[in-house]
mmCIF file of all heavy atoms in Angstrom:
data_model
loop_
_atom_site.group_PDB
_atom_site.id
_atom_site.type_symbol
_atom_site.label_atom_id
_atom_site.label_comp_id
_atom_site.label_asym_id
_atom_site.label_seq_id
_atom_site.Cartn_x
_atom_site.Cartn_y
_atom_site.Cartn_z
ATOM 1 N N GLY E 7 54.925 284.439 -81.089
ATOM 2 C CA GLY E 7 55.375 284.841 -82.421
ATOM 3 C C GLY E 7 56.801 285.283 -82.339
ATOM 4 O O GLY E 7 57.247 285.720 -81.260
ATOM 5 N N PRO E 8 57.503 285.231 -83.447
ATOM 6 C CA PRO E 8 58.922 285.619 -83.419
ATOM 7 C C PRO E 8 59.103 287.102 -83.102
ATOM 8 O O PRO E 8 58.141 287.896 -83.143
ATOM 9 C CB PRO E 8 59.397 285.277 -84.826
ATOM 10 C CG PRO E 8 58.170 285.135 -85.659
ATOM 11 C CD PRO E 8 57.071 284.772 -84.759
ATOM 12 N N PRO E 9 60.328 287.524 -82.812
ATOM 13 C CA PRO E 9 60.616 288.930 -82.546
ATOM 14 C C PRO E 9 60.071 289.815 -83.667
ATOM 15 O O PRO E 9 60.296 289.545 -84.849
ATOM 16 C CB PRO E 9 62.145 288.984 -82.525
ATOM 17 C CG PRO E 9 62.555 287.605 -82.127
ATOM 18 C CD PRO E 9 61.538 286.688 -82.709
ATOM 19 N N GLY E 10 59.352 290.855 -83.297
ATOM 20 C CA GLY E 10 58.835 291.823 -84.286
ATOM 21 C C GLY E 10 57.576 291.411 -84.996
ATOM 22 O O GLY E 10 57.080 292.128 -85.857
ATOM 23 N N SER E 11 56.986 290.293 -84.584
ATOM 24 C CA SER E 11 55.798 289.788 -85.307
ATOM 25 C C SER E 11 54.529 290.607 -84.984
ATOM 26 O O SER E 11 53.501 290.388 -85.651
ATOM 27 C CB SER E 11 55.578 288.308 -85.026
ATOM 28 O OG SER E 11 55.468 288.084 -83.638
ATOM 29 N N GLY E 12 54.608 291.492 -84.005
ATOM 30 C CA GLY E 12 53.466 292.363 -83.713
ATOM 31 C C GLY E 12 52.729 291.988 -82.447
ATOM 32 O O GLY E 12 51.584 292.451 -82.243
ATOM 33 N N LYS E 13 53.324 291.204 -81.599
ATOM 34 C CA LYS E 13 52.661 290.790 -80.357
ATOM 35 C C LYS E 13 52.237 292.021 -79.526
ATOM 36 O O LYS E 13 51.086 292.156 -79.149
ATOM 37 C CB LYS E 13 53.602 289.910 -79.489
ATOM 38 C CG LYS E 13 54.100 288.644 -80.199
ATOM 39 C CD LYS E 13 54.968 287.797 -79.300
ATOM 40 C CE LYS E 13 56.305 288.383 -78.892
ATOM 41 N NZ LYS E 13 57.247 288.575 -80.028
ATOM 42 N N GLY E 14 53.196 292.951 -79.342
ATOM 43 C CA GLY E 14 52.912 294.146 -78.544
ATOM 44 C C GLY E 14 51.863 295.020 -79.217
ATOM 45 O O GLY E 14 50.918 295.487 -78.584
ATOM 46 N N THR E 15 52.039 295.255 -80.509
ATOM 47 C CA THR E 15 51.137 296.126 -81.257
ATOM 48 C C THR E 15 49.702 295.596 -81.187
ATOM 49 O O THR E 15 48.745 296.323 -80.936
ATOM 50 C CB THR E 15 51.585 296.166 -82.751
ATOM 51 O OG1 THR E 15 52.943 296.636 -82.794
ATOM 52 C CG2 THR E 15 50.702 297.044 -83.589
ATOM 53 N N GLN E 16 49.535 294.284 -81.397
ATOM 54 C CA GLN E 16 48.208 293.709 -81.460
ATOM 55 C C GLN E 16 47.560 293.586 -80.067
ATOM 56 O O GLN E 16 46.371 293.766 -79.922
ATOM 57 C CB GLN E 16 48.232 292.374 -82.197
ATOM 58 C CG GLN E 16 48.686 292.503 -83.657
ATOM 59 C CD GLN E 16 47.746 293.376 -84.495
ATOM 60 O OE1 GLN E 16 46.551 293.486 -84.233
ATOM 61 N NE2 GLN E 16 48.313 294.049 -85.508
ATOM 62 N N SER E 30 53.300 291.991 -70.861
ATOM 63 C CA SER E 30 54.438 291.626 -71.745
ATOM 64 C C SER E 30 55.640 291.328 -70.844
ATOM 65 O O SER E 30 56.086 292.202 -70.086
ATOM 66 C CB SER E 30 54.744 292.800 -72.676
ATOM 67 O OG SER E 30 56.094 292.751 -73.109
ATOM 68 N N THR E 31 56.123 290.085 -70.908
ATOM 69 C CA THR E 31 57.273 289.768 -70.071
ATOM 70 C C THR E 31 58.499 290.575 -70.507
ATOM 71 O O THR E 31 59.300 290.990 -69.687
ATOM 72 C CB THR E 31 57.604 288.253 -70.096
ATOM 73 O OG1 THR E 31 57.398 287.753 -71.403
ATOM 74 C CG2 THR E 31 56.727 287.494 -69.127
ATOM 75 N N GLY E 32 58.594 290.869 -71.793
ATOM 76 C CA GLY E 32 59.722 291.728 -72.265
ATOM 77 C C GLY E 32 59.657 293.105 -71.617
ATOM 78 O O GLY E 32 60.669 293.606 -71.115
ATOM 79 N N GLU E 33 58.437 293.702 -71.556
ATOM 80 C CA GLU E 33 58.289 295.015 -70.918
ATOM 81 C C GLU E 33 58.578 294.943 -69.432
ATOM 82 O O GLU E 33 59.211 295.838 -68.863
ATOM 83 C CB GLU E 33 56.879 295.566 -71.121
ATOM 84 C CG GLU E 33 56.499 295.955 -72.549
ATOM 85 C CD GLU E 33 57.360 297.077 -73.119
ATOM 86 O OE1 GLU E 33 57.914 297.871 -72.335
ATOM 87 O OE2 GLU E 33 57.508 297.120 -74.363
ATOM 88 N N LEU E 35 60.594 292.935 -67.960
ATOM 89 C CA LEU E 35 62.050 292.820 -67.754
ATOM 90 C C LEU E 35 62.739 294.166 -68.033
ATOM 91 O O LEU E 35 63.633 294.564 -67.294
ATOM 92 C CB LEU E 35 62.605 291.721 -68.682
ATOM 93 C CG LEU E 35 62.127 290.300 -68.342
ATOM 94 C CD1 LEU E 35 62.471 289.328 -69.481
ATOM 95 C CD2 LEU E 35 62.720 289.814 -67.034
ATOM 96 N N ARG E 36 62.306 294.883 -69.085
ATOM 97 C CA ARG E 36 62.911 296.172 -69.358
ATOM 98 C C ARG E 36 62.645 297.163 -68.209
ATOM 99 O O ARG E 36 63.497 297.939 -67.853
ATOM 100 C CB ARG E 36 62.419 296.722 -70.714
ATOM 101 C CG ARG E 36 63.110 296.096 -71.906
ATOM 102 C CD ARG E 36 62.718 296.728 -73.238
ATOM 103 N NE ARG E 36 61.373 296.388 -73.623
ATOM 104 C CZ ARG E 36 60.996 295.272 -74.245
ATOM 105 N NH1 ARG E 36 61.915 294.410 -74.587
ATOM 106 N NH2 ARG E 36 59.751 295.042 -74.558
ATOM 107 N N TYR E 52 70.962 288.818 -70.440
ATOM 108 C CA TYR E 52 70.214 287.960 -71.375
ATOM 109 C C TYR E 52 69.584 288.845 -72.479
ATOM 110 O O TYR E 52 69.648 288.504 -73.644
ATOM 111 C CB TYR E 52 69.112 287.187 -70.624
ATOM 112 C CG TYR E 52 69.658 286.150 -69.694
ATOM 113 C CD1 TYR E 52 69.774 286.410 -68.325
ATOM 114 C CD2 TYR E 52 70.093 284.913 -70.136
ATOM 115 C CE1 TYR E 52 70.270 285.474 -67.447
ATOM 116 C CE2 TYR E 52 70.608 283.950 -69.283
ATOM 117 C CZ TYR E 52 70.693 284.240 -67.924
ATOM 118 O OH TYR E 52 71.203 283.299 -67.063
ATOM 119 N N LEU E 53 68.910 289.934 -72.064
ATOM 120 C CA LEU E 53 68.283 290.776 -73.075
ATOM 121 C C LEU E 53 69.302 291.374 -74.008
ATOM 122 O O LEU E 53 69.087 291.438 -75.218
ATOM 123 C CB LEU E 53 67.438 291.883 -72.395
ATOM 124 C CG LEU E 53 65.985 291.459 -72.129
ATOM 125 C CD1 LEU E 53 65.866 290.583 -70.909
ATOM 126 C CD2 LEU E 53 65.071 292.660 -72.041
ATOM 127 N N GLY E 56 70.333 288.818 -76.526
ATOM 128 C CA GLY E 56 69.288 288.180 -77.307
ATOM 129 C C GLY E 56 68.970 286.769 -76.850
ATOM 130 O O GLY E 56 68.392 285.960 -77.581
ATOM 131 N N ASN E 57 69.360 286.433 -75.605
ATOM 132 C CA ASN E 57 69.047 285.118 -75.042
ATOM 133 C C ASN E 57 67.816 285.172 -74.162
ATOM 134 O O ASN E 57 67.480 286.221 -73.611
ATOM 135 C CB ASN E 57 70.253 284.621 -74.253
ATOM 136 C CG ASN E 57 71.360 284.144 -75.174
ATOM 137 O OD1 ASN E 57 71.122 283.278 -75.999
ATOM 138 N ND2 ASN E 57 72.522 284.739 -75.064
ATOM 139 N N TRP E 58 67.181 284.023 -74.003
ATOM 140 C CA TRP E 58 66.009 283.931 -73.166
ATOM 141 C C TRP E 58 66.452 283.907 -71.690
ATOM 142 O O TRP E 58 67.433 283.233 -71.330
ATOM 143 C CB TRP E 58 65.214 282.676 -73.454
ATOM 144 C CG TRP E 58 64.326 282.626 -74.688
ATOM 145 C CD1 TRP E 58 63.382 281.679 -74.909
ATOM 146 C CD2 TRP E 58 64.290 283.494 -75.812
ATOM 147 N NE1 TRP E 58 62.734 281.916 -76.118
ATOM 148 C CE2 TRP E 58 63.280 283.031 -76.705
ATOM 149 C CE3 TRP E 58 64.990 284.644 -76.179
ATOM 150 C CZ2 TRP E 58 62.985 283.665 -77.883
ATOM 151 C CZ3 TRP E 58 64.695 285.276 -77.396
ATOM 152 C CH2 TRP E 58 63.706 284.782 -78.214
ATOM 153 N N VAL E 59 65.728 284.622 -70.875
ATOM 154 C CA VAL E 59 65.970 284.635 -69.437
ATOM 155 C C VAL E 59 65.602 283.230 -68.873
ATOM 156 O O VAL E 59 64.658 282.618 -69.408
ATOM 157 C CB VAL E 59 65.095 285.763 -68.795
ATOM 158 C CG1 VAL E 59 65.123 285.715 -67.293
ATOM 159 C CG2 VAL E 59 65.579 287.118 -69.302
ATOM 160 N N PRO E 60 66.331 282.700 -67.887
ATOM 161 C CA PRO E 60 66.014 281.357 -67.406
ATOM 162 C C PRO E 60 64.545 281.192 -66.984
ATOM 163 O O PRO E 60 63.967 282.129 -66.428
ATOM 164 C CB PRO E 60 66.965 281.178 -66.210
ATOM 165 C CG PRO E 60 68.080 282.135 -66.465
ATOM 166 C CD PRO E 60 67.487 283.274 -67.224
ATOM 167 N N ASP E 61 64.024 280.002 -67.248
ATOM 168 C CA ASP E 61 62.613 279.745 -66.961
ATOM 169 C C ASP E 61 62.192 280.065 -65.528
ATOM 170 O O ASP E 61 61.149 280.658 -65.288
ATOM 171 C CB ASP E 61 62.285 278.243 -67.251
ATOM 172 C CG ASP E 61 62.365 277.924 -68.732
ATOM 173 O OD1 ASP E 61 62.142 278.838 -69.562
ATOM 174 O OD2 ASP E 61 62.642 276.754 -69.069
ATOM 175 N N ILE E 64 61.690 283.849 -64.965
ATOM 176 C CA ILE E 64 60.476 284.326 -65.606
ATOM 177 C C ILE E 64 59.242 283.878 -64.838
ATOM 178 O O ILE E 64 58.313 284.644 -64.584
ATOM 179 C CB ILE E 64 60.388 283.812 -67.066
ATOM 180 C CG1 ILE E 64 61.360 284.588 -67.954
ATOM 181 C CG2 ILE E 64 58.995 283.900 -67.631
ATOM 182 C CD1 ILE E 64 60.929 286.031 -68.209
ATOM 183 N N ASP E 84 51.734 288.488 -73.599
ATOM 184 C CA ASP E 84 52.544 288.815 -74.777
ATOM 185 C C ASP E 84 53.993 288.349 -74.501
ATOM 186 O O ASP E 84 54.693 288.951 -73.674
ATOM 187 C CB ASP E 84 52.409 290.316 -74.966
ATOM 188 C CG ASP E 84 53.504 291.003 -75.769
ATOM 189 O OD1 ASP E 84 54.418 290.324 -76.244
ATOM 190 O OD2 ASP E 84 53.422 292.246 -75.881
ATOM 191 N N GLY E 85 54.365 287.239 -75.099
ATOM 192 C CA GLY E 85 55.760 286.784 -74.954
ATOM 193 C C GLY E 85 55.947 285.791 -73.817
ATOM 194 O O GLY E 85 57.102 285.478 -73.482
ATOM 195 N N PHE E 86 54.902 285.331 -73.236
ATOM 196 C CA PHE E 86 54.945 284.269 -72.198
ATOM 197 C C PHE E 86 53.747 283.361 -72.408
ATOM 198 O O PHE E 86 52.643 283.876 -72.589
ATOM 199 C CB PHE E 86 54.911 284.841 -70.778
ATOM 200 C CG PHE E 86 54.795 283.743 -69.736
ATOM 201 C CD1 PHE E 86 55.927 283.151 -69.221
ATOM 202 C CD2 PHE E 86 53.551 283.297 -69.312
ATOM 203 C CE1 PHE E 86 55.821 282.101 -68.305
ATOM 204 C CE2 PHE E 86 53.422 282.278 -68.397
ATOM 205 C CZ PHE E 86 54.580 281.680 -67.891
ATOM 206 N N PRO E 87 53.877 282.039 -72.341
ATOM 207 C CA PRO E 87 55.131 281.312 -72.207
ATOM 208 C C PRO E 87 55.954 281.329 -73.487
ATOM 209 O O PRO E 87 55.436 281.526 -74.570
ATOM 210 C CB PRO E 87 54.651 279.883 -71.880
ATOM 211 C CG PRO E 87 53.267 279.779 -72.437
ATOM 212 C CD PRO E 87 52.695 281.141 -72.370
ATOM 213 N N ARG E 88 57.275 281.119 -73.318
ATOM 214 C CA ARG E 88 58.192 281.204 -74.454
ATOM 215 C C ARG E 88 59.042 279.946 -74.598
ATOM 216 O O ARG E 88 59.851 279.842 -75.531
ATOM 217 C CB ARG E 88 59.100 282.450 -74.263
ATOM 218 C CG ARG E 88 59.803 282.943 -75.492
ATOM 219 C CD ARG E 88 60.548 284.241 -75.186
ATOM 220 N NE ARG E 88 59.687 285.372 -74.949
ATOM 221 C CZ ARG E 88 59.726 286.534 -75.602
ATOM 222 N NH1 ARG E 88 60.624 286.722 -76.547
ATOM 223 N NH2 ARG E 88 58.916 287.495 -75.282
ATOM 224 N N THR E 89 58.838 279.009 -73.704
ATOM 225 C CA THR E 89 59.524 277.691 -73.806
ATOM 226 C C THR E 89 58.522 276.635 -73.368
ATOM 227 O O THR E 89 57.528 276.956 -72.662
ATOM 228 C CB THR E 89 60.742 277.612 -72.873
ATOM 229 O OG1 THR E 89 60.264 277.665 -71.496
ATOM 230 C CG2 THR E 89 61.741 278.720 -73.110
ATOM 231 N N GLN E 92 58.120 276.506 -69.573
ATOM 232 C CA GLN E 92 57.283 277.597 -69.113
ATOM 233 C C GLN E 92 55.801 277.280 -69.352
ATOM 234 O O GLN E 92 54.953 277.520 -68.488
ATOM 235 C CB GLN E 92 57.610 278.912 -69.820
ATOM 236 C CG GLN E 92 58.938 279.533 -69.423
ATOM 237 C CD GLN E 92 59.220 280.847 -70.172
ATOM 238 O OE1 GLN E 92 58.338 281.511 -70.706
ATOM 239 N NE2 GLN E 92 60.512 281.207 -70.209
ATOM 240 N N LEU E 113 51.345 284.553 -84.278
ATOM 241 C CA LEU E 113 51.488 285.517 -85.375
ATOM 242 C C LEU E 113 52.616 285.067 -86.284
ATOM 243 O O LEU E 113 53.739 284.825 -85.825
ATOM 244 C CB LEU E 113 51.806 286.907 -84.822
ATOM 245 C CG LEU E 113 50.642 287.606 -84.091
ATOM 246 C CD1 LEU E 113 51.125 288.907 -83.457
ATOM 247 C CD2 LEU E 113 49.524 287.889 -85.071
ATOM 248 N N ARG E 123 61.527 295.305 -89.983
ATOM 249 C CA ARG E 123 60.724 296.003 -88.964
ATOM 250 C C ARG E 123 61.555 296.341 -87.741
ATOM 251 O O ARG E 123 61.489 297.450 -87.196
ATOM 252 C CB ARG E 123 59.573 295.089 -88.481
ATOM 253 C CG ARG E 123 58.397 294.973 -89.384
ATOM 254 C CD ARG E 123 57.282 294.235 -88.626
ATOM 255 N NE ARG E 123 56.225 293.830 -89.518
ATOM 256 C CZ ARG E 123 55.212 293.077 -89.141
ATOM 257 N NH1 ARG E 123 55.109 292.655 -87.880
ATOM 258 N NH2 ARG E 123 54.243 292.748 -89.979
ATOM 259 N N LEU E 124 62.334 295.368 -87.280
ATOM 260 C CA LEU E 124 63.098 295.576 -86.036
ATOM 261 C C LEU E 124 64.210 296.594 -86.213
ATOM 262 O O LEU E 124 64.433 297.447 -85.355
ATOM 263 C CB LEU E 124 63.651 294.214 -85.540
ATOM 264 C CG LEU E 124 62.592 293.226 -85.076
ATOM 265 C CD1 LEU E 124 63.206 291.864 -84.815
ATOM 266 C CD2 LEU E 124 61.890 293.746 -83.822
ATOM 267 N N ARG E 127 62.759 299.924 -86.091
ATOM 268 C CA ARG E 127 62.340 300.367 -84.747
ATOM 269 C C ARG E 127 63.538 300.830 -83.934
ATOM 270 O O ARG E 127 63.500 301.865 -83.292
ATOM 271 C CB ARG E 127 61.593 299.245 -84.044
ATOM 272 C CG ARG E 127 61.130 299.638 -82.661
ATOM 273 C CD ARG E 127 60.386 298.528 -81.948
ATOM 274 N NE ARG E 127 61.254 297.389 -81.765
ATOM 275 C CZ ARG E 127 60.854 296.253 -81.169
ATOM 276 N NH1 ARG E 127 59.644 296.153 -80.735
ATOM 277 N NH2 ARG E 127 61.706 295.253 -81.024
ATOM 278 N N ARG E 129 65.070 299.433 -81.098
ATOM 279 C CA ARG E 129 65.137 299.272 -79.634
ATOM 280 C C ARG E 129 66.538 298.821 -79.272
ATOM 281 O O ARG E 129 67.294 298.377 -80.148
ATOM 282 C CB ARG E 129 64.083 298.208 -79.215
ATOM 283 C CG ARG E 129 63.654 298.270 -77.782
ATOM 284 C CD ARG E 129 62.467 297.367 -77.508
ATOM 285 N NE ARG E 129 62.812 295.961 -77.611
ATOM 286 C CZ ARG E 129 61.931 294.952 -77.664
ATOM 287 N NH1 ARG E 129 60.636 295.216 -77.657
ATOM 288 N NH2 ARG E 129 62.338 293.699 -77.739
ATOM 289 N N ASP E 131 67.756 296.224 -78.115
ATOM 290 C CA ASP E 131 68.119 294.863 -78.570
ATOM 291 C C ASP E 131 67.842 294.646 -80.051
ATOM 292 O O ASP E 131 67.803 293.496 -80.514
ATOM 293 C CB ASP E 131 67.449 293.780 -77.700
ATOM 294 C CG ASP E 131 65.941 293.886 -77.635
ATOM 295 O OD1 ASP E 131 65.397 294.950 -78.065
ATOM 296 O OD2 ASP E 131 65.281 292.942 -77.203
ATOM 297 N N ASP E 132 67.609 295.728 -80.800
ATOM 298 C CA ASP E 132 67.336 295.601 -82.236
ATOM 299 C C ASP E 132 68.573 295.841 -83.090
ATOM 300 O O ASP E 132 68.582 296.655 -84.005
ATOM 301 C CB ASP E 132 66.211 296.572 -82.661
ATOM 302 C CG ASP E 132 64.849 296.183 -82.124
ATOM 303 O OD1 ASP E 132 64.641 294.989 -81.775
ATOM 304 O OD2 ASP E 132 63.994 297.077 -82.050
ATOM 305 N N ARG E 140 68.151 286.368 -81.246
ATOM 306 C CA ARG E 140 66.738 286.241 -80.828
ATOM 307 C C ARG E 140 66.005 285.267 -81.777
ATOM 308 O O ARG E 140 65.222 284.446 -81.322
ATOM 309 C CB ARG E 140 66.039 287.612 -80.818
ATOM 310 C CG ARG E 140 66.488 288.456 -79.608
ATOM 311 C CD ARG E 140 66.308 289.943 -79.831
ATOM 312 N NE ARG E 140 64.917 290.375 -79.990
ATOM 313 C CZ ARG E 140 64.567 291.559 -80.491
ATOM 314 N NH1 ARG E 140 65.477 292.408 -80.914
ATOM 315 N NH2 ARG E 140 63.282 291.852 -80.576
ATOM 316 N N GLY E 166 50.544 287.515 -89.916
ATOM 317 C CA GLY E 166 50.885 288.799 -89.322
ATOM 318 C C GLY E 166 51.416 289.820 -90.324
ATOM 319 O O GLY E 166 51.951 290.857 -89.929
ATOM 320 N N GLN E 167 51.216 289.554 -91.629
ATOM 321 C CA GLN E 167 51.686 290.522 -92.658
ATOM 322 C C GLN E 167 50.542 291.442 -93.028
ATOM 323 O O GLN E 167 49.368 291.115 -92.828
ATOM 324 C CB GLN E 167 52.141 289.764 -93.903
ATOM 325 C CG GLN E 167 53.350 288.909 -93.645
ATOM 326 C CD GLN E 167 53.822 288.215 -94.916
ATOM 327 O OE1 GLN E 167 54.587 288.775 -95.688
ATOM 328 N NE2 GLN E 167 53.317 287.028 -95.137
ATOM 329 N N GLY E 168 50.894 292.580 -93.610
ATOM 330 C CA GLY E 168 49.877 293.594 -93.964
ATOM 331 C C GLY E 168 49.907 294.673 -92.907
ATOM 332 O O GLY E 168 50.799 294.720 -92.046
ATOM 333 N N THR E 169 48.914 295.583 -92.943
ATOM 334 C CA THR E 169 48.919 296.675 -91.981
ATOM 335 C C THR E 169 48.500 296.153 -90.601
ATOM 336 O O THR E 169 47.819 295.116 -90.509
ATOM 337 C CB THR E 169 47.926 297.786 -92.399
ATOM 338 O OG1 THR E 169 46.590 297.228 -92.328
ATOM 339 C CG2 THR E 169 48.203 298.322 -93.798
ATOM 340 N N PRO E 170 48.827 296.871 -89.519
ATOM 341 C CA PRO E 170 48.375 296.459 -88.207
ATOM 342 C C PRO E 170 46.847 296.306 -88.146
ATOM 343 O O PRO E 170 46.340 295.386 -87.485
ATOM 344 C CB PRO E 170 48.880 297.564 -87.288
ATOM 345 C CG PRO E 170 50.128 298.068 -87.959
ATOM 346 C CD PRO E 170 49.827 297.966 -89.431
ATOM 347 N N VAL E 173 45.889 292.967 -89.740
ATOM 348 C CA VAL E 173 46.243 291.853 -88.865
ATOM 349 C C VAL E 173 45.211 291.780 -87.713
ATOM 350 O O VAL E 173 44.773 290.700 -87.349
ATOM 351 C CB VAL E 173 47.681 292.021 -88.302
ATOM 352 C CG1 VAL E 173 48.015 290.888 -87.334
ATOM 353 C CG2 VAL E 173 48.682 292.076 -89.445
HETATM 354 P P1 AP5 J 1 60.074 290.967 -76.013
HETATM 355 O O1 AP5 J 1 60.041 292.374 -75.596
HETATM 356 O O2 AP5 J 1 58.879 290.136 -75.899
HETATM 357 O O3 AP5 J 1 60.724 290.901 -77.463
HETATM 358 P P2 AP5 J 1 60.424 289.984 -78.753
HETATM 359 O O4 AP5 J 1 59.752 288.716 -78.467
HETATM 360 O O5 AP5 J 1 61.711 289.952 -79.483
HETATM 361 O O6 AP5 J 1 59.353 290.784 -79.505
HETATM 362 P P3 AP5 J 1 59.295 292.346 -79.813
HETATM 363 O O7 AP5 J 1 58.790 293.092 -78.626
HETATM 364 O O8 AP5 J 1 60.591 292.829 -80.425
HETATM 365 O O9 AP5 J 1 58.258 292.338 -81.009
HETATM 366 P P4 AP5 J 1 56.665 292.213 -80.956
HETATM 367 O O10 AP5 J 1 56.281 290.864 -81.455
HETATM 368 O O11 AP5 J 1 56.105 292.693 -79.668
HETATM 369 O O12 AP5 J 1 56.327 293.217 -82.104
HETATM 370 P P5 AP5 J 1 55.937 294.786 -82.038
HETATM 371 O O13 AP5 J 1 54.488 294.940 -81.871
HETATM 372 O O14 AP5 J 1 56.827 295.488 -81.064
HETATM 373 O O15 AP5 J 1 61.236 290.240 -75.143
HETATM 374 C C1 AP5 J 1 62.513 290.856 -75.074
HETATM 375 C C2 AP5 J 1 63.520 289.893 -74.409
HETATM 376 O O16 AP5 J 1 63.070 289.594 -73.091
HETATM 377 C C3 AP5 J 1 63.672 288.536 -75.100
HETATM 378 O O17 AP5 J 1 64.592 288.609 -76.143
HETATM 379 C C4 AP5 J 1 64.165 287.686 -73.917
HETATM 380 O O18 AP5 J 1 65.544 287.960 -73.645
HETATM 381 C C5 AP5 J 1 63.383 288.238 -72.744
HETATM 382 N N1 AP5 J 1 62.129 287.528 -72.482
HETATM 383 C C6 AP5 J 1 60.858 288.038 -72.603
HETATM 384 N N2 AP5 J 1 59.938 287.132 -72.269
HETATM 385 C C7 AP5 J 1 60.620 286.022 -71.933
HETATM 386 C C8 AP5 J 1 60.203 284.700 -71.499
HETATM 387 N N3 AP5 J 1 58.911 284.379 -71.391
HETATM 388 N N4 AP5 J 1 61.178 283.798 -71.258
HETATM 389 C C9 AP5 J 1 62.485 284.116 -71.382
HETATM 390 N N5 AP5 J 1 62.938 285.339 -71.770
HETATM 391 C C10 AP5 J 1 62.014 286.264 -72.043
HETATM 392 O O19 AP5 J 1 56.336 295.237 -83.500
HETATM 393 C C11 AP5 J 1 57.697 295.331 -83.885
HETATM 394 C C12 AP5 J 1 57.871 296.564 -84.773
HETATM 395 O O20 AP5 J 1 57.152 296.381 -85.981
HETATM 396 C C13 AP5 J 1 57.338 297.869 -84.168
HETATM 397 O O21 AP5 J 1 58.148 298.929 -84.580
HETATM 398 C C14 AP5 J 1 55.927 297.984 -84.755
HETATM 399 O O22 AP5 J 1 55.501 299.307 -84.833
HETATM 400 C C15 AP5 J 1 56.122 297.347 -86.119
HETATM 401 N N6 AP5 J 1 54.911 296.642 -86.595
HETATM 402 C C16 AP5 J 1 54.046 295.891 -85.848
HETATM 403 N N7 AP5 J 1 53.097 295.370 -86.652
HETATM 404 C C17 AP5 J 1 53.391 295.772 -87.918
HETATM 405 C C18 AP5 J 1 52.749 295.551 -89.175
HETATM 406 N N8 AP5 J 1 51.649 294.808 -89.322
HETATM 407 N N9 AP5 J 1 53.325 296.108 -90.283
HETATM 408 C C19 AP5 J 1 54.459 296.875 -90.156
HETATM 409 N N10 AP5 J 1 55.094 297.147 -88.997
HETATM 410 C C20 AP5 J 1 54.542 296.599 -87.872
#
Side-chain angles (χ1 to χ4, degrees):
S11 55
K13 302 182 292 295
T15 303
Q16 297 300 330
S30 156
T31 39
E33 292 298 336
L35 295 167
R36 281 185 288 277
Y52 293 99
L53 269 79
N57 284 303
W58 282 194
V59 171
D61 291 333
I64 284 289
D84 159 1
F86 173 88
R88 198 175 290 235
T89 65
Q92 289 180 21
L113 289 174
R123 282 190 192 174
L124 292 171
R127 180 179 61 180
R129 201 171 69 193
D131 56 346
D132 290 338
R140 285 157 66 197
Q167 295 182 87
T169 65
V173 177

